[in-house]
Amino acid sequence: MSDQLRDRKIAILATDGVEQIEYEEPRKAVEAAGATATLVSIKDDEIQAMHGDLDQGDRFPVEAAVVNLAAEDFDALILPGGTINPDRLRTDPHAVDFVRAFAEAGKPIGAICHGPWTLVEAGVLTGRTVTGYPSIRTDLENAGAVVVDREVVTDRGLVTSRNPGDLPAFCSKIIEEFTEGRHPVPAAH
């Protein structure tokens, strides 16, 4: 255990359908680095995790409802994947506003697999270099992002990865970026 992220508060935004390993591994990593992680959701009771979108995993208690929170309550954000999870999040205005607020404040964000779909809906990818699961890459490009195929990509505090196989690199990089903190937000043209 280290204290790189001591006194840092990390929101993990997820709902039913979250890919279990993409929730659990980043949470373990940031907590092992000293952060306090909070499972934030559009629900207020518990969420159903999945393995590969098809097999039910564990249920996890929601620690805070997104409707009651603001980006100012946290230092960084994690967006795990699973196909169903971000598809539901991107239809919830509170979740989308929450994500947009992190990006607009220049706070670090980690998004893996299908997790970047919520960033698409938040309209915060223009000019950013990202990666994601192959089936969402066209969506990322259509949202104005430059899409590459690498295990982890960092662009001014935004960390993205493609799939659960990238979790070691993703977890390492989010700890690095979350330690650095805020990144300047380029002025709008």
Side-chain angles (χ1 to χ4, degrees), residues 1 12 18 27 41 63 67 73 76 81 83 92 94 115 119 123 133-134 139 149-150 157 164 167 172 174 178-179:
M1 180 149 171
I12 305 172
V18 66
R27 182 172 187 142
S41 187
E63 296 161 319
V67 69
D73 300 327
T83 307
D92 184 277
H94 300 291
L119 296 166
Y133 196 74
D139 296 334
D149 183 13
R150 293 198 302 260
L167 277 164
S172 176
I174 62 172
F178 292 2
T179 299

Side-chain angles (χ1 to χ4, degrees), residues 19-42:
E19 181 66 31
Q20 184 163 327
I21 196 168
E22 293 174 2
Y23 164 67
E24 287 184 314
E25 292 302 312
R27 182 172 187 142
K28 285 179 196 171
V30 297
E31 288 179 338
T36 300
T38 302
L39 175 57
V40 176
S41 187
I42 57 176

Side-chain angles (χ1 to χ4, degrees), residues 17 31 35 60 77 93 143 146 152 176 189:
E31 288 179 338
F60 294 94
L77 174 64
V146 175
V152 67
E176 179 183 322
H189 300 302

Side-chain angles (χ1 to χ4, degrees), residues 11-24 27 38-51 55-66 78-82 84-86 88-89 95:
I12 305 172
L13 181 61
T15 193
D16 290 330
V18 66
E19 181 66 31
Q20 184 163 327
I21 196 168
E22 293 174 2
Y23 164 67
E24 287 184 314
R27 182 172 187 142
T38 302
L39 175 57
V40 176
S41 187
I42 57 176
K43 301 174 68 178
D44 61 6
D45 51 1
E46 61 183 18
I47 62 171
Q48 175 66 58
M50 302 296 285
H51 299 292
D55 298 316
Q56 284 192 347
D58 296 327
R59 296 184 75 76
F60 294 94
V62 171
E63 296 161 319
V66 72
I78 298 171
L79 297 170
I84 299 164
N85 166 54
R88 287 183 174 161
L89 291 176

Side-chain angles (χ1 to χ4, degrees), residues 4-5 8 75-76 102 105-109 156-158 174-184:
Q4 282 176 272
L5 295 178
R8 300 284 170 92
D75 299 296
F102 274 89
K107 292 185 176 193
I109 299 171
R156 300 183 319 268
L158 175 59
I174 62 172
I175 289 170
E176 179 183 322
E177 291 299 312
F178 292 2
T179 299
E180 290 177 14
R182 289 181 189 253
H183 290 261

Side-chain angles (χ1 to χ4, degrees), residues 61-137:
V62 171
E63 296 161 319
V66 72
V67 69
N68 299 323
L69 299 173
E72 293 79 36
D73 300 327
F74 298 94
D75 299 296
L77 174 64
I78 298 171
L79 297 170
T83 307
I84 299 164
N85 166 54
D87 196 47
R88 287 183 174 161
L89 291 176
R90 67 188 183 150
T91 64
D92 184 277
H94 300 291
V96 173
D97 289 346
F98 189 67
V99 171
R100 184 181 301 115
F102 274 89
E104 289 176 349
K107 292 185 176 193
I109 299 171
I112 187 166
C113 201
H114 288 77
W117 251 350
T118 312
L119 296 166
V120 168
E121 195 65 33
V124 297
L125 291 180
T126 301
R128 304 296 290 267
T129 301
V130 299
T131 195
Y133 196 74
S135 66
I136 69 165
R137 291 183 186 160

